[in-house]
Amino acid sequence: MEEGLLAPAHGAVATAAVHAKGQQHPIKLYLLVWGWLFVLSTCSYLVDYFGLHGYLRWSLILLFMVLKAGLIVAVFMHMAWERLALAYAILLPPVAVLVFVSIMVLESEYTHFLRVLFFAGPS
């Protein structure tokens, strides 16, 4: 009977010992990510250095920004090793915000077009 009482305690001690050690990732992974972050940051600065303008400039800057944020979230915040449900809970709201902002931008362009078309008159 005592053996049945000790079994859960023994399992809890073994589980605590496993969690106390923790998960370690190789340093090579972190160095690789730091290298990619350096390359992406350099590309961001080169966009300004070469004097790109307009939609190309902002598209490249936003692309490099999203790639850097993705690397940081995936590796340094350990999102790559989390459950898929948790990753969806954290990553889907910003994606939804981007979709809604895109919709608003498209509608604003359409509204501006209609105002110019109907209220500007012949120029």
Side-chain angles (χ1 to χ4, degrees), residues 82-113:
E82 291 294 335
R83 286 189 213 155
L84 194 56
L86 182 62
Y88 284 156
I90 292 174
L91 297 177
L92 281 183
V95 169
V97 167
L98 287 174
V99 168
F100 291 137
V101 166
S102 300
I103 291 170
M104 288 188 291
V105 167
L106 291 173
E107 185 174 350
S108 71
E109 294 291 330
Y110 175 73
T111 305
H112 178 69
F113 170 72

Side-chain angles (χ1 to χ4, degrees), residues 68-80 90-91:
K68 290 189 297 186
L71 279 172
I72 290 168
V73 168
V75 177
F76 294 119
M77 296 176 72
H78 305 287
M79 187 59 63
I90 292 174
L91 297 177

Side-chain angles (χ1 to χ4, degrees), residues 14-100:
T15 304
V18 169
H19 289 299
K21 183 179 179 188
Q23 182 179 9
Q24 295 182 1
H25 304 290
I27 191 72
K28 180 181 178 183
L29 174 68
Y30 292 107
L31 293 175
L32 183 67
V33 171
W34 285 333
W36 275 109
L37 288 172
F38 179 77
V39 167
L40 291 170
S41 295
T42 303
C43 290
S44 293
Y45 292 120
L46 287 176
V47 168
D48 283 334
Y49 181 78
F50 288 125
L52 298 175
H53 296 286
Y55 287 123
L56 177 62
R57 172 195 169 126
W58 291 110
S59 298
L60 288 173
I61 287 174
L62 289 174
L63 174 70
F64 295 140
M65 178 190 68
V66 168
L67 289 174
K68 290 189 297 186
L71 279 172
I72 290 168
V73 168
V75 177
F76 294 119
M77 296 176 72
H78 305 287
M79 187 59 63
W81 298 281
E82 291 294 335
R83 286 189 213 155
L84 194 56
L86 182 62
Y88 284 156
I90 292 174
L91 297 177
L92 281 183
V95 169
V97 167
L98 287 174
V99 168
F100 291 137

